[in-house]
Amino acid sequence: MALTQDELLAEFEGMTLIQLSEFVKAFEEKFDVTAAAAVAVAGPAGPAAPAEAAEEKDEFDVILTGAGDKKIQVIKVVRELTSLGLKEAKDLVDGAPKPVLEKVNKEAADKAKESLEGAGASVEVK
């Protein structure tokens, strides 16, 4: 039996945000779609109107700008965040500023930044 739109909305209304988030992920995987909001781009209406709407950035780079005092801890975190070996992670930390993660989503970039800063590193997200 198919549910109506109102019945579906009533079901979603009773879900927690975590449950709803999990549902959206499962829906995206099942139907190979994304639930990104559509961005409307307005054409130029006159000389005072902006040429295009500002786009929200969805890919971020996490850049290690400095290892700080606890270099060994920072190397451990870099190894956790990446699939680098010990030598490669040490070279990355020694060669700062260098990107640790590239083209990741906002959530992953924030978690990586928090982990690296917790280990004593200075980090920049671009």
Side-chain angles (χ1 to χ4, degrees):
M1 179 170 121
L3 297 174
T4 66
Q5 186 175 357
D6 290 335
E7 291 170 331
L8 283 172
L9 289 173
E11 285 295 318
F12 292 141
E13 193 173 52
M15 297 173 91
T16 65
L17 289 177
I18 293 173
Q19 291 171 325
L20 191 55
S21 174
E22 290 170 352
F23 169 78
V24 170
K25 287 178 187 173
F27 186 90
E28 289 174 342
E29 289 174 10
K30 171 88 175 169
F31 297 105
D32 194 29
V33 295
T34 58
V39 177
V41 177
E52 68 181 55
E55 293 184 30
E56 185 176 329
K57 190 172 180 179
D58 61 351
E59 289 184 342
F60 298 88
D61 295 341
V62 179
I63 300 172
L64 178 70
T65 56
D69 296 341
K70 301 176 183 175
K71 186 173 160 183
I72 294 172
Q73 295 299 329
V74 174
I75 292 170
K76 287 180 181 180
V77 172
V78 168
R79 289 192 67 205
E80 290 173 10
L81 295 172
T82 64
S83 59
L84 296 176
L86 181 59
K87 180 176 180 355
E88 292 86 2
K90 181 183 179 303
D91 291 344
L92 188 146
V93 172
D94 288 341
K98 286 202 173 185
V100 176
L101 298 173
E102 295 178 317
K103 296 183 181 179
V104 295
N105 64 24
K106 177 77 171 155
E107 184 178 311
D110 288 342
K111 284 183 181 179
K113 179 180 180 184
E114 185 177 309
S115 296
L116 287 164
E117 286 178 344
S122 54
V123 182
E124 187 176 302
V125 176
K126 290 186 177 184

